[in-house]
Amino acid sequence: MKPFNSEKGFTMVEIILALALIALLMSGLMAAYWVSSNALNQVTNMSEMQYTVREARQVILKDIHSSESAEVIGLDGVQVYPGEAGSRLGLIIPVIQEEDVEYIAVCYYIENGKLYRERFMLHDKQNSGNDQFMDKIPVADHMISLSFSKSMTGVIEYELISGYDRNTFRISGRAGSKMDYSIDGI
């Protein structure tokens, strides 16, 4: 008969201990993967949100710079006084086509967490009754707040606040028309 200590192989206790050690090691690796994956998703979402808000600002600035006139509109749909804040911005933008000048009204506002840019073709700048709807385009998602104010000199101050998954991003600034619509006399 062979001695008891000379047997080759694993006992059941050794196998259970090895499996427990492997399970512990795997759970540690899975936890590290989960934490790093969540951190990467959070950084990616934040950078996408910042990019979207910055791009939306560029679209707004382009329209403000090319506008002939601007009005800030409050929640009640009425134009606010200079220096007061409103949640909508309305712009009149001239579009020169060959020998004619046509006018487009552009309005920025938030609806259901999205920033929209809505355009109308103006047939008569003084009478909005016959304006023709052109399009309504979503510019940015996850918007929390949009605020505009207009100074006495016509400079528009803006603030855009976006939020996603407990993170917020705020961007603000000033802009004015860069177009000179004055007519020089002879």
Side-chain angles (χ1 to χ4, degrees):
M1 201 180 227
K2 294 183 181 178
F4 187 74
N5 291 339
S6 66
E7 286 186 30
K8 303 263 182 188
F10 296 107
T11 64
M12 185 64 88
V13 172
E14 292 172 327
I15 291 175
I16 290 174
L17 285 174
L19 288 174
L21 185 60
I22 290 172
L24 184 64
L25 181 64
M26 290 301 290
S27 67
L29 289 174
M30 290 300 291
Y33 172 78
W34 182 77
V35 166
S36 63
S37 176
N38 282 343
L40 178 63
N41 284 339
Q42 190 172 20
V43 168
T44 301
N45 290 338
M46 187 66 174
S47 66
E48 286 178 5
M49 180 177 58
Q50 289 175 354
Y51 175 78
T52 301
V53 172
R54 286 185 176 127
E55 287 296 309
R57 177 184 63 176
Q58 288 304 112
V59 171
I60 292 171
L61 289 176
K62 181 181 175 225
D63 282 343
I64 290 173
H65 292 321
S66 61
S67 69
E68 178 180 277
S69 66
E71 64 180 25
V72 177
I73 304 162
L75 289 173
D76 54 1
V78 177
Q79 184 175 352
V80 299
Y81 294 109
E84 293 182 6
S87 60
R88 290 177 173 250
L89 177 66
L91 303 167
I92 305 295
I93 301 172
V95 179
I96 300 171
Q97 298 197 5
E98 295 180 17
E99 296 178 13
D100 277 348
V101 176
E102 295 180 350
Y103 294 92
I104 296 175
V106 176
C107 185
Y108 288 96
Y109 59 92
I110 292 179
E111 184 178 277
N112 297 326
K114 289 187 180 192
L115 172 63
Y116 284 99
R117 178 182 188 251
E118 195 170 63
R119 297 186 315 158
F120 294 89
M121 178 63 68
L122 302 181
H123 297 291
D124 181 4
K125 284 195 319 182
Q126 310 307 331
N127 180 10
S128 63
N130 61 353
D131 295 348
Q132 179 184 354
F133 176 77
M134 292 175 68
D135 55 18
K136 178 180 177 179
I137 301 169
V139 178
D141 291 329
H142 309 294
M143 295 301 297
I144 295 173
S145 173
L146 179 66
S147 177
F148 298 101
S149 66
K150 182 177 177 183
S151 70
M152 294 296 279
T153 61
V155 173
I156 302 292
E157 293 186 23
Y158 59 87
E159 180 180 64
L160 291 87
I161 301 175
S162 180
Y164 185 74
D165 195 28
R166 297 181 310 224
N167 294 314
T168 59
F169 181 67
R170 177 185 167 272
I171 195 165
S172 62
R174 295 176 164 187
S177 177
K178 289 188 175 180
M179 305 302 283
D180 181 12
Y181 293 105
S182 62
I183 299 174
D184 294 326
I186 298 178

